[in-house]
Structure formats: C-alpha cells, structure tokens
C-alpha cells in the first residue's frame, strides 16, 4: 500500500512521534495503521529503556479529588522544565484519573494495570518518554476515602512542587481543611499531635537538650526545667496542633481546628524529589569528557 501524507499526518496526531518516524513506521508495516502504532510503541519502549539509568528527581506532585475519594501522587522527570510541558501535564492528569478509578494497592500493581486506552500504565508512561525525551516515573501515590461528614483539604504549592492532602473529621468545612493544608505546606510538621511522637524519640531529644544545657554551663538543678521548656519548642516544630497558625500567629492550629467543630484525622505532604539522591554532575569534568572523546 502506498503511504500518503495524510496517513503520516494521522499517525503523527495519534502518537506525537516525529514525521520521519511515522513515515518509516508506515513503510515498514505496509501502511497498516494499527501495526504502525505498535511499531512506534515498540520504538518508544526501546527509547525509554535507554533512559532507565537516569535519575528522575524533578516533576510534579498532584492531588485529584472526586466526591469522597482523593489521591495524592508524584510523577517524576529528569528536569523541572518538563513540568511545563503540555504532554507531561496531560500524562499527570491521566494517571491521577486512572489511580482514582482503579485504586491499585501498590506502584507495581498500578504500573501493570490497564488504562482506558488499552495500554498498561507502564507502557503509557513509556510512550510519553519517547515523545518528551526524559525518563518519567510514577513514583508514589496514596488514596484516601472519607464520609459525607468529613472534609478533604487539597493544596498545591508552586505548581505542584509541594502537595498536601488533609482530612478533617466531623466537619464539612473544606475551606478550613485547605487552610490547614496550606499551613502544612509551609511549616512541614511531622506529626499531628504529641501523642504520635514515640517515647524513644522524645527521650532522645531530651538527652540532646540536656547535654546542650550542661555544655552551656547551666546549673544542674535548673537544667531539668530548662529541658522541659525546650521540649515544648521541639513539639512546636514537629507537631501540627502545637504550631502557631500561619494565617494567625496568635492562634495555635489546635484552636483553629477546634473552631471548626472537627479534628484532624490525617495529613499527607509530598514534595517533589524528596528522598531521592540527586546526581551532582561536575560541569568542567563533563566538558572534558566530551573533549577527550574527539
């Protein structure tokens, strides 16, 4: 079958692949559009495999809420520029919709699940890699369900550099939930309340504070009282309810929450790339390595 310009255009619109790649795929498959799609997909998978050892520590965190269900998730790429790419943003939205619809239990289950387009998540992401040109990974996600008597508070900061999902119990005040999420994005507490801090962690902090006070030359008889006071400051640093509310520094978060008639059941805070060891390339060494190849 003769390959026409219209066929190349159609294949390009369906795949986002380059014109010459589309023409080659159609030639190789004798004009069979479905076979050409598979041909380009296989090429995309090949391209993706070459990027497998790269570090994807940039990208976007995002939240999707539908009624009483919500998902918070992170999709990584190699550079922060890709976050502005329309194709990448479309992929992030598609992944969020799929996660909410299928509710996989793990990343492995998510990657092997089939999307509405008939591709697995892994293959769909690989196709995006071929088009965008960077390693892309669905890194993590968490799905939550609430009742009609509760409230979700989703908040995205800096276009998704930080995402926070808050769940308030026994109140439907979504504005308050979002304000608390914004506070968490700013101050990054580790726990909701002091009750969640383990006895071992508290004792470890107490020992550190005791040594600090003794090293400052404070009399032993007042060190204990000083340490307890400083422990209070420690709890303010790590516990949400002990912190001064960002929208009203004269008010503790616990008091703001109490004013809603509800309580904080849970919060999840994602920051792009946290916990990923980023490669630090030496630019001079990189240039010299290219020079030595010539």
């Amino acid at each position: 079958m003769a390959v026409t310009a219209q066929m190349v255009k159609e294949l390009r619109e369906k795949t986002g692949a380059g014109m010459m790649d589309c023409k080659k795929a159609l030639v190789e498959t004798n004009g069979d559009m479905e076979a050409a799609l598979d041909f380009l997909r296989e090429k995309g998978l090949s391209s993706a495999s070459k990027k497998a050892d790269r570090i994807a520590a940039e990208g976007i965190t995002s939240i999707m809420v539908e009624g009483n269900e919500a998902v918070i998730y992170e999709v990584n790429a190699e550079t922060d520029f890709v976050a502005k790419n329309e194709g990448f943003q479309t992929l992030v939205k598609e992944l969020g919709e799929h996660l909410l619809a299928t509710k996989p239990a793990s990343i492995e289950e998510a990657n092997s699940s089939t999307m509405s387009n008939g591709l697995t998540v892994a293959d769909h992401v690989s196709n995006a890699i071929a088009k965008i040109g960077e390693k892309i990974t669905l890194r993590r996600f968490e799905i939550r369900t609430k009742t009609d008597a509760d409230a979700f508070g989703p908040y995205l900061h800096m276009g998704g550099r930080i995402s926070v999902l808050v769940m308030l119990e026994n109140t439907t005040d979504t504005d308050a939930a979002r304000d608390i999420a914004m506070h968490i994005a700013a101050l990054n507490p580790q726990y909701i309340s002091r009750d969640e801090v383990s006895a071992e962690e508290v004792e470890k902090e107490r020992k550190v504070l005791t040594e600090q006070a003794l090293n400052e030359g404070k009399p032993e008889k007042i060190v204990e009282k000083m340490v307890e006071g400083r422990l209070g400051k420690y709890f303010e640093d790590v516990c949400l309810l002990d912190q001064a509310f960002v929208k009203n520094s004269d008010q503790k978060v616990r008091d703001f929450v109490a004013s809603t008639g509800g309580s904080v059941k849970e919060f999840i805070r994602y920051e792009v790339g946290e916990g990923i060891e980023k490669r630090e390339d030496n630019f001079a060494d990189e240039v010299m390595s290219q020079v030595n190849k010539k």
Side-chain angles (χ1 to χ4, degrees):
M1 179 186 294
V3 175
T4 66
Q6 180 60 36
M7 293 168 65
V8 173
K9 180 175 182 290
E10 181 183 348
L11 184 58
R12 188 180 186 189
E13 288 174 350
K14 286 183 176 181
T15 64
M19 187 177 298
M20 295 306 297
D21 286 334
C22 290
K23 182 177 180 180
K24 180 180 179 181
L26 287 164
V27 169
E28 291 286 337
T29 58
N30 197 29
D32 186 323
M33 188 64 68
E34 292 302 317
L37 284 167
D38 288 340
F39 180 92
L40 286 174
R41 184 175 154 217
E42 289 168 5
K43 182 179 179 182
L45 291 171
S46 176
S47 298
S49 67
K50 294 176 183 177
K51 298 176 176 66
D53 62 346
R54 296 185 184 177
I55 297 174
E58 299 295 341
I60 288 178
T61 64
S62 191
I63 300 171
M64 193 166 288
V65 178
E66 290 184 3
N68 285 341
E69 296 178 333
V71 60
I72 180 171
Y73 58 110
E74 180 179 358
V75 183
N76 292 138
E78 294 176 59
T79 68
D80 57 356
F81 298 107
V82 81
K84 302 178 181 66
N85 181 289
E86 184 177 349
F88 182 77
Q89 292 175 348
T90 297
L91 173 67
V92 170
K93 181 175 182 292
E94 291 170 343
L95 290 174
E97 291 171 344
H98 177 73
L99 290 171
L100 266 186
T102 60
K103 299 177 183 60
S106 65
I107 285 292
E108 292 75 21
E109 186 176 320
N111 282 328
S112 62
S113 62
T114 302
M115 301 183 69
S116 59
N117 60 7
L119 297 178
T120 65
V121 167
D123 287 348
H124 189 59
V125 170
S126 291
N127 284 347
I129 292 172
K131 296 174 189 177
I132 295 171
E134 288 195 6
K135 179 180 179 180
I136 298 171
T137 58
L138 172 61
R139 182 190 179 198
R140 54 180 172 165
F141 68 89
E142 294 184 57
I143 298 170
R144 293 294 183 268
T145 302
K146 70 175 185 65
T147 71
D148 289 338
D150 306 326
F152 281 136
Y155 177 73
L156 271 63
H157 182 65
M158 295 177 62
R161 291 295 300 178
I162 298 173
S163 290
V164 179
L165 179 64
V166 167
M167 190 192 303
L168 296 185
E169 283 187 307
N170 302 316
T171 179
T172 57
D173 193 337
T174 55
D175 290 337
R178 185 181 182 279
D179 285 343
I180 294 168
M182 181 175 63
H183 171 99
I184 292 167
L187 295 191
N188 193 19
Q190 305 302 303
Y191 307 97
I192 295 176
S193 66
R194 299 186 182 196
D195 295 339
E196 294 183 354
V197 186
S198 69
E200 292 78 13
E201 187 170 343
V202 173
E203 187 57 31
K204 179 182 177 182
E205 187 65 20
R206 181 178 280 109
K207 287 181 178 179
V208 170
L209 293 173
T210 299
E211 288 301 316
Q212 287 178 351
L214 291 173
N215 290 336
E216 290 168 5
K218 306 297 184 184
E220 288 190 27
K221 62 182 180 180
I222 67 169
V223 163
E224 184 176 347
K225 184 178 293 187
M226 286 182 60
V227 167
E228 291 308 309
R230 292 180 180 181
L231 266 179
K233 179 62 173 65
Y234 164 74
F235 285 126
E236 289 177 4
D237 288 340
V238 301
C239 298
L240 172 65
L241 299 181
D242 282 279
Q243 293 178 334
F245 189 35
V246 291
K247 295 189 73 173
N248 179 6
S249 60
D250 293 329
Q251 184 182 37
K252 294 285 189 182
V253 173
R254 68 160 51 86
D255 298 322
F256 175 73
V257 173
S259 72
T260 71
S263 61
V264 179
K265 179 178 182 180
E266 184 181 16
F267 71 82
I268 305 167
R269 183 185 189 275
Y270 279 2
E271 186 166 349
V272 170
E274 61 187 345
I276 298 176
E277 184 177 349
K278 300 181 182 181
R279 181 176 60 234
E280 296 184 5
D281 293 328
N282 184 301
F283 182 68
D285 289 347
E286 183 179 341
V287 171
M288 287 306 299
S289 69
Q290 294 302 315
V291 170
N292 292 334
K293 288 180 181 179
K294 297 180 179 180

